[in-house]
Amino acid sequence: MPPINLAIVGVGKIARDQHLPSIERNADFTLVAAASRNGTVDGIPNFTTMKAMFEAVPTIDAVSLCMPPQFRYDAAYEAILAGKHVFLEKPPGATLSEVESLASLANEKGVSLFASWHSRYAPGVEAAKSFLGSNTIQSVHIVWKEDVRHWHPNQDWIWQAGGLGVFDPGINALSILTHIMPNPVFIRSATLEFPENRQAPIAADLKMTSAIGTPVHAEFDWRQTGKQTWDIIAETSAGQMILIDGGSKLTIGGKAVSLPEEAEYPELYRRFADLVKNGKSDVDIAPLRHVADAFMMGERAFVEPFHD
Ligand code: NAP
């Protein structure tokens, strides 16, 4: 099969940090164009709208949509209607309904839709899943604490309604949790802390249980300075398992497990190529559903205003 002619839409931080280098190294793709209101990619034709890009470069087979989630549905809809395969950055949209609607549309139009969850491709995730699947889990504790000023400077969209606030990183933890737990989990109660001057939470505390009653506690906080923490700790019948630094390291019973090299975005592109080649889609909305449940179930607390 010839390489898939790919275009990037929304040339910002994640497009530059991860998408462009991963596409460059993947022979299944040729990057043929980009569409972004301000950003550009060297060496290929650039457009300020997707419409102009599709008209000028009709050979585009697929697009990677890297803009913030609030603006992704319209772009995905337009791309699918134009017959393009679509890779959605995480989270796949601003609402569950729009993502479900896109999945139906992609199916109807016979194109592949990929709702990507990069953290699921972290080196320790599959080993953690296999360990948890073969032992009794007593409890799970997620600690996802980072410094928003460091990781999300000047990103106004992240603080707006639909921008998810602390769930923007927190959904990565939920994407791992929903992949590694052998039973479904449900939110029983939650507290969301909103800065008085913002529309999205700066911290969230989620109390969940699995379908068989295993307690799962998640703490997300964007006010962490100093050491940053992205850990999932499981107490099990075979000892303590810790998935450390967003899944990049794993210990079981205090011993480090040997893992492959980090390759989250290269793996996402490998998966996308497989989906396109096999005429399939992969649209798991479980992590986004938990975020929606947290907003639906959560008590609100208002905390001091946040300024960049
Ligand atoms: P970003 O740099 O703030 O935004 C990406 C680009 O989207 C912007 O440069 C902008 O390009 C375009 N954009 C912004 N507002 C838009 C609007 N109203 N309509 C259309 N396009 C708009 O954000 P990012 O950090 O790359 O994050 C984008 C997505 O990737 C988010 O869903 C995020 O969760 C996910 N992600 C980010 C990271 C990370 O480390 N940053 C990691 C993993 C996943 P133009 O102005 O040129 O149109």
Side-chain angles (χ1 to χ4, degrees), residues 230-263:
W230 302 282
D231 294 346
I232 299 178
I233 303 124
E235 304 298 339
T236 80
S237 53
Q240 188 183 60
M241 182 204 88
I242 315 183
L243 198 48
I244 304 161
D245 286 348
S248 61
K249 297 179 207 131
L250 179 71
T251 64
I252 294 175
K255 291 200 182 108
V257 175
S258 167
L259 298 173
E261 291 274 294
E262 191 285 320

Side-chain angles (χ1 to χ4, degrees), residues 77-218:
Y77 184 85
E78 187 183 336
I80 294 170
L81 274 195
K84 315 298 181 191
H85 307 290
V86 174
F87 176 123
L88 301 168
E89 245 301 346
K90 54 81 19 181
T95 68
L96 295 166
S97 311
E98 66 182 34
V99 183
E100 282 178 338
S101 167
L102 289 176
S104 304
L105 187 67
N107 189 32
E108 211 177 284
K109 296 287 168 195
V111 297
S112 297
L113 181 67
F114 182 31
S116 74
W117 297 109
H118 67 87
S119 291
R120 284 187 177 170
Y121 295 83
V125 169
E126 287 308 318
K129 181 181 171 79
S130 146
F131 175 75
L132 293 182
S134 48
N135 292 288
T136 303
I137 309 167
Q138 288 139 1
S139 66
V140 177
H141 186 195
I142 300 174
V143 186
W144 225 254
K145 296 187 176 182
E146 62 175 47
D147 182 355
V148 64
R149 289 187 175 84
H150 177 80
W151 298 103
H152 301 281
N154 310 314
Q155 289 190 331
D156 283 343
W157 61 266
I158 219 162
W159 290 108
Q160 290 161 3
L164 298 192
V166 76
F167 286 101
D168 178 80
I171 203 168
N172 295 334
L174 295 172
S175 76
I176 296 177
L177 180 76
T178 47
H179 186 68
I180 64 177
M181 286 293 280
N183 293 291
V185 294
F186 310 101
I187 292 183
R188 304 292 185 172
S189 66
T191 306
L192 311 184
E193 293 183 42
F194 287 73
E196 278 171 7
N197 60 340
R198 302 287 177 161
Q199 295 294 330
I202 196 163
D205 190 280
L206 314 179
K207 301 271 171 38
M208 298 177 262
T209 55
S210 77
I212 57 164
T214 311
V216 179
H217 178 203

Side-chain angles (χ1 to χ4, degrees), residues 12-14 36-39 71-72 90 155 157 168 265:
K13 186 175 188 314
I14 197 61
S36 209
R37 297 162 315 163
N38 304 289
F71 317 108
R72 210 169 289 129
K90 54 81 19 181
Q155 289 190 331
W157 61 266
D168 178 80
Y265 277 78

Side-chain angles (χ1 to χ4, degrees), residues 12-50:
K13 186 175 188 314
I14 197 61
R16 291 198 178 91
D17 288 357
Q18 296 288 349
H19 289 258
L20 294 175
S22 302
I23 295 162
E24 170 90 39
R25 291 197 295 266
N26 188 323
D28 283 329
F29 294 97
T30 305
L31 188 67
V32 293
S36 209
R37 297 162 315 163
N38 304 289
T40 56
V41 179
D42 290 344
I44 52 170
N46 287 276
F47 303 87
T48 52
T49 67
M50 232 171 44

